[in-house]
Amino acid sequence: MGRSPCCEQVHTNKGAWTREEDDRLIAHIQAHGEGCWRSLPKAAGLLRCGKSCRLRWMNYLRPDLKRGNFTEEEDELIVSLHALLGNKWSVIAARLPGRTDNDIKNYWNSHIKRKLVGKGLDPRTHLPLKTGRLQLEEEGQSSTDEGGGGGDLDLSISLRLPRAASVNSANWPTTSASPEVVPLPPPPAAPCGPTICFCYHLGFRSDEACSCRTSQSSHSHGYCG
DNA sequence: AAGAGAATCAACCGCAGACGA
DNA sequence: GTCGTCTGCGGTTGATTCTCT
């Protein structure tokens, strides 16, 4: 098919952005909005590809970005969301106002991953390391894999919010009640059926995020229906 | 003080999905 | 329905900074 390159490689800069390039990009976006990234570099007088401009703006120049260390609350929230969503960094970032997917991804890889391993947890599955089952998973059998593949057990797990009301962002353990918080996709319209609500309490504190507490244990399984 | 290794983070790359013609 | 373009995402890389010896 011959995908065209995202930019004319010959005429674009690469590598670290200069102060001047940043200023040009900021000035252009403040004047014209984010608009079409492909045409932006030319319009802004930048020798960069649109992709690079977008990345620079999203990850570094946006005025609403929060700089500095992650708080303990953010840390816990990332772990919780990762347990539910996996490496959906953009979705996780949407729950953390002022943080970018790149930030979170980097923070995950440099801090949290190590922290979980230190606690004896598999950072991918959030389950204890080196059980027989996990041994299988490490060889390519993930517990979240689509139903498929071998073995006597159907290992697929259905995750859903325990109650429709939980879609409301107020029920999520966000660090602030920012209106920018993006709710997770709503559950199907059908009433909550026999699907297991697998509430794996990682990082959530009491009365937050989920109310179907059928067990006092820290790793409880609730049931919708 | 200097070098080595580890940690951090900005940026790039390739792919997939959305969308319009 | 097909094709081409654009955007956004996740994985990865590489430069810089920090820490330890």
Side-chain angles (χ1 to χ4, degrees), chain A residues 158-164 187-197 212 222-225:
Chain A
S158 173
L159 295 172
R160 68 162 58 191
L161 294 166
R163 295 187 309 187
C192 193
T195 308
I196 294 173
C197 169
C212 58
Y223 294 88
C224 288

Side-chain angles (χ1 to χ4, degrees), chain A residues 31-204:
Chain A
H32 304 97
E34 289 182 19
C36 172
W37 291 110
R38 191 170 171 86
S39 58
L40 185 147
K42 200 175 177 183
L46 288 164
L47 295 175
R48 295 275 180 175
C49 71
K51 223 173 179 177
S52 179
C53 293
R54 178 187 160 273
L55 205 68
R56 182 65 177 170
W57 173 255
M58 294 295 194
N59 288 340
Y60 200 79
L61 299 175
R62 259 165 51 200
D64 58 324
L65 288 181
K66 203 189 284 182
R67 317 296 305 175
N69 295 337
F70 282 73
T71 64
E72 198 58 39
E73 285 79 17
E74 287 176 315
D75 197 290
E76 288 176 13
L77 183 54
I78 292 168
V79 173
S80 303
L81 290 171
H82 187 273
L84 287 167
L85 302 164
N87 293 2
K88 299 289 177 194
W89 305 119
S90 60
V91 181
I92 295 172
R95 311 293 316 174
L96 288 141
R99 300 295 188 186
T100 70
D101 53 354
N102 209 33
D103 271 346
I104 294 169
K105 185 168 56 181
N106 283 333
Y107 186 64
W108 175 269
N109 287 324
S110 60
H111 291 86
I112 302 180
K113 218 171 174 178
R114 207 174 310 130
K115 199 165 127 183
L116 290 180
V117 171
K119 288 180 181 175
L121 297 172
D122 185 326
R124 197 162 47 85
T125 61
H126 297 254
L127 296 171
L129 280 164
K130 294 296 174 191
T131 64
R133 174 71 58 200
L134 283 166
Q135 199 66 48
L136 280 176
E137 287 173 6
E138 280 180 4
E139 286 156 17
Q141 186 84 29
S142 164
S143 63
T144 52
D145 281 352
E146 305 260 15
D152 304 335
L153 292 170
D154 177 2
L155 294 175
S156 62
I157 297 172
S158 173
L159 295 172
R160 68 162 58 191
L161 294 166
R163 295 187 309 187
S166 294
V167 173
N168 187 325
S169 62
N171 283 348
W172 276 86
T174 53
T175 52
S176 71
S178 165
E180 296 166 58
V181 169
V182 179
L184 288 170
C192 193
T195 308
I196 294 173
C197 169
F198 184 69
C199 300
Y200 200 81
H201 291 268
L202 277 170
F204 290 122

